Amino acid sequence: MQSLQGKCGLIIGVANAQSIAWGCARQLKAAGARSAITYLNAKAENHVRPLAEQIEAELILPCDVEQPGQLEAVFAALEQHWGQLDYLIHSIAYAPLADLHGRLVDCSTAGFLRAMDVSCHSLIRMAKLAEPLMPKGGTLLTMSYLGAERVVEHYGLMGPVKAALESTVRYLAAELAERGIRVHAISPGPMPTRAASGIAHFDTLMQAAMAKSPQHQLATPDDVGQLASFLISDAARVLTGSTHYVDAGYHIMG
C-alpha cells in the first residue's frame, strides 16, 4: 500500500458499514490519510457518525447535494479547517425508483434530471469547489458501473447517467490537468451495498457476475478502497482520465 501520510481530503457517500465509500475511508486511513466525512441527513447521521469516528475523521458534516448551499458549506468548512485538499471521493448516485425500475423509454423528465443532477452534475460542482483548494494538485475520484458502457438488465436509467459520469471524468481530467488535478472513475463490480439494493433482481446480478468473472468472486468495498488509495498516491501521478475496473475481471467477459 502506498503511503498517504500528510494527505487530507473529503469522502462523500458513506451511508453504512457496507458502503463503497466506507471501504475507501478505511483503506485511506490505513494508508495514513486524514479524511472529512459527510452524511446525507439526520437519519443517516446515526449510521455514519460512529463509522467516521472509527477512522478519526476530522470533520463530520451534513451534505445533501440537492439542498441549496449544503455542498458549498462543506467546502467552506474544509477551507477553514485545512486550507487545502489533496483528494475528493464522490460516491453518490440516485434515481427515483419509479424511473429506475421501469423502461428507459418510459422514464420521466423529472426523474431523469434528478438522477443526472445527483449522480453526475454533483461531481462537476464538487470539482469547481475543490479546484481552488488544490493549488498543488490533487485527485478526484467517482464511482461508476459497467452499465455505463453496455446494457445491464434492470440497470435502466442509471446506464446513461453513469455513461455521462464517465465522460465527465474525461473532460474534467483534460480541463484540470494544468492545475495538477487528476480525475478518475472507479467501476466496481456488483456488491451488496444499500445503494445497489434499489436495483431490481440485484441478487441475480451478483450471482451471474460471480459465475462469469474469471476469478469467480465479487470485489469488496475494501478492494475499491485499495485502488482509491493507489490513485490518490504520488505513485499514480501520471495517471488521469481513466475508468478503472474492480470486478474480478467481469468486464472483459462478453
Side-chain angles (χ1 to χ4, degrees):
M1 180 179 291
Q2 298 294 324
S3 173
L4 299 181
Q5 290 289 339
K7 293 188 182 295
C8 58
L10 173 65
I11 301 174
I12 292 183
V14 175
N16 56 35
Q18 286 73 50
S19 299
I20 289 173
W22 173 237
C24 292
R26 282 166 42 88
Q27 295 302 317
L28 266 61
K29 171 64 175 177
R34 302 154 65 194
S35 294
I37 302 289
T38 68
Y39 55 88
L40 179 62
N41 51 35
K43 181 179 178 180
E45 183 180 4
N46 294 329
H47 301 281
V48 176
R49 184 170 290 277
L51 298 175
E53 290 173 349
Q54 283 185 35
I55 63 160
E56 301 177 304
E58 297 186 23
L59 292 171
I60 308 171
L61 302 165
C63 184
D64 180 345
V65 297
E66 295 188 277
Q67 296 300 314
Q70 282 204 9
L71 187 60
E72 289 77 8
V74 167
F75 279 84
L78 294 170
E79 182 175 17
Q80 182 177 17
H81 185 71
W82 284 321
Q84 57 98 39
L85 280 180
D86 296 296
Y87 65 87
L88 181 150
I89 295 179
H90 170 278
S91 185
I92 57 173
Y94 176 79
L97 288 180
D99 296 289
L100 181 62
H101 289 170
R103 300 188 306 166
L104 176 62
V105 73
D106 295 323
C107 79
S108 67
T109 300
F112 181 86
L113 293 176
R114 192 175 180 194
M116 192 67 77
D117 180 46
V118 174
S119 311
C120 181
H121 187 254
S122 63
L123 175 64
I124 299 173
R125 292 172 58 199
M126 290 180 202
K128 184 175 181 64
L129 292 165
E131 183 180 9
L133 297 181
M134 294 181 167
K136 298 180 180 179
T139 307
L140 310 180
L141 302 179
T142 189
M143 301 299 156
S144 189
Y145 180 60
L146 186 61
E149 66 175 74
R150 68 173 70 167
V151 175
V152 174
E153 193 173 7
H154 305 300
Y155 201 57
L157 170 60
M158 288 307 297
V161 171
K162 290 294 190 180
L165 181 67
E166 291 189 7
S167 181
T168 294
V169 163
R170 292 188 287 271
Y171 277 85
L172 290 176
E175 291 177 356
L176 298 176
E178 66 180 6
R179 299 293 300 272
I181 299 173
R182 299 176 286 113
V183 190
H184 294 282
I186 296 177
S187 184
M191 55 185 71
T193 64
R194 189 181 75 172
S197 66
I199 300 171
H201 307 288
F202 193 74
D203 286 345
T204 302
L205 183 61
M206 287 194 296
Q207 292 168 5
M210 187 180 298
K212 196 171 184 179
S213 68
Q215 294 183 331
H216 300 298
Q217 61 181 314
L218 298 178
T220 69
D222 282 336
D223 292 325
V224 178
Q226 289 180 16
L227 175 60
S229 296
F230 168 70
L231 292 174
I232 290 167
S233 76
D234 295 340
R237 61 186 177 80
V238 297
L239 305 181
T240 195
S242 297
T243 297
H244 303 267
Y245 298 91
V246 186
D247 63 359
Y250 179 63
H251 69 283
I252 67 174
M253 306 304 291

